[in-house]
């Protein structure tokens, strides 16, 4: 273990690779791809997934554009989850749920805006009209 | 101590000596008196016997006096012994009392030390987790602006944007250019689709590219021995109780799948 040396250049390149790879894990279709080709059954790969957990640390996490990948990474630590990913229906379901969750905040914001708009409409009739020509 | 006890047992106690001396005196006095009574009527069978008895009597009396003296001394010693025993008892109970207090103090201190340690642990934990609020806000802005965690408000089914890197994005990265990636558009979005729809994929926006390295000047990934075939340190998550446990995996492949 101590025999492996890499230059700073190589380490930086490896950083890029691992940054990309860990974020790819946010894609359920990619996970299905990995599972069907048997990668998720290989011990070295499983060990690699455990190694990748360092992306949870704040000093690394700040580089992640797609934070969903961290949740997937955590789930991937469990053998049960890895086994289920072979099933395309399973990953399709995950994909759907993930997208719905992704829309959660925008839906919430839309609802809030609607509620706000309704509130303002309720107040509007109380205000005396100023003969505002722009409203026409 | 045992031999002294045996010697004392062999020797008569003072009380016995006193009593036997008294007996002797009694016997001798009686003989003397009988002799004197007899000498009224008849001559002494043995001349000088009365002086012998007298001598013996005097001797016994002397012994008696000595024994009495011994008895008195022994009595004093005995009293001293009792006084000392009382002292010992008192000291004993003092020591027990102190022992109790010491035990209590130890308990209190141990509790205090334990709680202090716990406190230090939680301080350390909090310190470790502390991030400047500015950084957090910056990061929140990044991931929101890029629609990575919150869908764009105008998103409808058919929009190729996703909360994860799409096929196109994956292929355009370093990883994509290194190894073979799926060419069948697994998530149904080939590059042609997005361009045909007239929308550019997010990856082409210059800010916050997902495989950016310009912000990472100083940071390097953790060191590893490049041999993931070995068992990693730490416990295996398979045994966590909130997951339905399956039997351990049995694969033994040796290929590196980086």
């Amino acid at each position: 273990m101590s025999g492996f040396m890499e230059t700073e250049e190589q380490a930086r390149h490896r950083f890029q690779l691992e940054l990309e790879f860990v974020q790819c894990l946010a894609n359920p279709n990619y996970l299905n791809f990995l599972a069907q080709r048997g990668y998720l059954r290989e011990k070295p790969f499983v060990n690699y997934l455990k190694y990748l957990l360092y992306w949870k640390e704040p000093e690394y996490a700040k580089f992640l554009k797609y934070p969903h990948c961290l949740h997937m990474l955590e789930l991937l630590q469990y053998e049960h989850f890895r086994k289920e990913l072979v099933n395309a229906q399973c990953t399709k379901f995950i994909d759907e749920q993930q997208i719905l969750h992704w829309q959660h905040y925008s839906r919430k914001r839309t609802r809030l805006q609607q509620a706000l708009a309704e509130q303002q409409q309720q107040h509007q009739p109380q205000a005396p009209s100023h003969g505002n020509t722009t409203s026409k | 101590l045992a031999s002294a006890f045996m010697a004392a047992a062999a020797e008569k106690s003072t009380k016995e000596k006193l009593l036997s001396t008294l007996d002797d005196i009694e016997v001798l006095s009686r003989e003397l008196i009988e002799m004197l009574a007899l000498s009224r009527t008849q001559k002494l069978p043995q001349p000088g016997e009365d002086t012998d008895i007298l001598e013996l009597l005097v001797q016994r009396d002397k012994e008696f006096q000595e024994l009495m003296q011994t008895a008195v001394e022994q009595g004093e010693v005995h009293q001293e012994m009792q006084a000392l025993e009382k002292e010992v008892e008192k000291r004993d109970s003092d020591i027990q009392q102190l022992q109790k207090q010491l035990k209590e103090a130890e308990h209190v201190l141990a509790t205090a030390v334990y709680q202090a340690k716990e406190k230090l642990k939680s301080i350390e934990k909090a310190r470790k987790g502390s991030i400047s609020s500015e950084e957090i806000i910056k990061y929140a802005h990044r991931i929101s602006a890029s629609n990575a965690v919150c869908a764009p408000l105008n998103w409808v089914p058919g929009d190729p944007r996703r909360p994860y890197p799409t096929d196109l994005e994956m292929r355009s990265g370093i990883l994509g250019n290194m190894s073979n990636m799926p060419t069948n558009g697994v998530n149904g979005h080939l590059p042609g689709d997005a361009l045909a729809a007239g929308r550019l994929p997010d990856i082409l926006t210059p800010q916050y590219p997902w495989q950016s390295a310009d912000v990472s000047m100083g940071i390097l990934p953790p060191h590893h021995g490049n041999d993931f075939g070995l068992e990693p340190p730490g416990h295996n998550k398979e045994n966590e109780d909130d997951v339905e446990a399956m039997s351990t995996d049995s694969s033994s492949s040796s290929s590196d799948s980086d």
Side-chain angles (χ1 to χ4, degrees):
Chain A
M1 191 111 161
S2 55
F4 175 63
M5 304 289 282
E6 61 177 2
T7 66
E8 200 173 301
E9 183 66 41
Q10 287 174 319
R12 289 221 200 97
H13 185 67
R14 184 160 67 85
F15 178 81
Q16 295 267 63
L17 283 176
E18 290 177 4
L19 173 62
E20 278 187 29
F21 181 71
V22 78
Q23 289 185 103
C24 288
L25 298 178
N27 185 337
N29 305 293
Y30 183 57
L31 293 180
N32 181 241
F33 165 77
L34 290 175
Q36 287 191 338
R37 275 155 190 74
Y39 289 112
L40 300 187
R41 284 196 302 271
E42 293 177 4
K43 197 76 179 113
F45 193 81
V46 173
N47 293 344
Y48 185 65
L49 288 175
K50 185 164 179 176
Y51 156 76
L52 285 178
L53 284 170
Y54 75 84
W55 286 101
K56 285 173 69 173
E57 299 297 314
E59 59 264 25
Y60 288 105
K62 66 184 180 192
F63 296 107
L64 297 174
K65 184 183 169 194
Y66 297 105
H68 283 195
C69 69
L70 286 181
H71 183 65
M72 294 300 188
L73 183 62
E74 280 176 9
L75 289 176
L76 279 167
Q77 303 302 317
Y78 296 94
E79 187 184 349
H80 192 178
F81 182 71
R82 295 196 296 269
K83 286 207 162 103
E84 292 295 314
L85 289 174
V86 179
N87 191 343
Q89 272 184 327
C90 171
T91 53
K92 186 164 178 297
F93 175 71
I94 294 176
D95 192 30
E96 284 168 5
Q97 293 300 308
Q98 195 178 357
I99 291 175
L100 283 172
H101 174 76
W102 184 47
Q103 296 174 315
H104 171 72
Y105 284 111
S106 34
R107 279 203 299 274
K108 194 165 158 181
R109 200 183 297 166
T110 321
R111 277 203 298 270
L112 269 174
Q113 281 179 343
Q114 279 178 350
L116 199 62
E118 277 171 30
Q119 236 183 16
Q120 282 182 342
Q121 272 188 352
Q122 279 174 5
H123 284 106
Q124 209 65 297
Q126 311 289 6
S129 65
H130 289 109
N132 198 349
T133 51
T134 58
S135 65
K136 296 222 166 62
Chain B
L1 196 64
S3 57
F5 179 71
M6 292 302 284
E11 217 179 77
K12 285 193 190 159
S13 71
T14 308
K15 180 173 159 188
E16 284 172 348
K17 283 196 226 169
L18 274 171
L19 287 175
S20 88
T21 311
L22 274 177
D23 282 339
D24 289 346
I25 294 179
E26 190 184 357
V27 164
L28 286 167
S29 334
R30 196 174 292 155
E31 262 198 54
L32 190 61
I33 291 172
E34 275 182 16
M35 231 192 301
L36 288 174
L38 271 172
S39 68
R40 277 224 191 148
T41 51
Q42 58 196 107
K43 274 284 189 200
L44 282 170
Q46 281 163 306
E49 206 181 339
D50 48 354
T51 43
D52 286 338
I53 294 184
L54 264 174
E55 271 178 29
L56 278 174
L57 202 56
V58 167
Q59 197 190 21
R60 287 287 177 278
D61 185 57
K62 198 161 134 236
E63 273 179 32
F64 184 75
Q65 297 302 327
E66 280 171 7
L67 282 170
M68 280 303 287
Q69 185 62 26
T70 313
V72 164
E73 281 168 13
Q74 283 179 341
E76 281 169 9
V77 168
H78 184 69
Q79 265 187 357
E80 237 186 87
M81 273 171 55
Q82 280 187 329
L84 284 173
E85 266 179 27
K86 269 214 190 78
E87 272 287 312
V88 165
E89 258 182 50
K90 185 168 171 304
R91 298 275 188 242
D92 234 356
S93 79
D94 280 349
I95 290 177
Q96 277 186 352
Q97 180 73 358
L98 282 172
Q99 198 178 15
K100 238 189 258 170
Q101 287 178 343
L102 201 60
K103 199 107 191 43
E104 267 181 46
E106 188 212 344
H107 186 257
V108 167
L109 281 173
T111 314
V113 164
Y114 172 73
Q115 286 181 347
K117 280 208 181 118
E118 291 294 304
K119 197 143 210 164
L120 280 175
K121 257 193 254 177
S122 66
I123 289 176
E124 183 59 35
K125 206 167 149 190
R127 194 196 58 80
K128 255 179 65 176
S130 70
I131 308 176
S132 78
S133 53
E134 192 187 312
E135 267 207 54
I136 295 185
I137 293 175
K138 255 199 277 181
Y139 184 65
H141 184 71
R142 270 180 68 179
I143 57 180
S144 314
S146 57
N147 292 315
V149 289
C150 181
L153 293 170
N154 56 354
W155 196 90
V156 286
D159 191 319
R161 292 176 288 185
R162 288 289 185 275
Y164 44 74
T166 55
D167 250 32
L168 175 69
E169 292 174 42
M170 292 201 292
R171 257 174 278 173
S172 67
I174 314 178
L175 219 44
N177 293 323
M178 274 179 59
S179 52
N180 54 327
M181 295 292 284
T183 50
N184 53 351
V186 242
N187 63 346
H189 299 299
L190 296 170
D193 290 355
L195 293 176
R199 286 192 301 264
L200 289 177
D202 285 64
I203 185 60
L204 295 182
T205 57
Q207 70 263 48
Y208 322 133
W210 67 297
Q211 61 292 60
S212 138
D214 13 283
V215 293
S216 71
M217 275 341 255
I219 195 152
L220 297 174
H223 193 76
H224 68 79
N226 204 36
D227 181 6
F228 287 99
L230 298 176
E231 193 65 43
H235 69 282
N236 226 338
K237 270 220 164 163
E238 264 97 87
N239 300 324
E240 298 283 323
D241 44 15
D242 57 336
V243 172
E244 193 184 351
M246 308 276 284
S247 59
T248 54
D249 61 333
S250 54
S251 70
S252 56
S253 167
S254 59
S255 65
D256 189 23
S257 48
D258 218 7

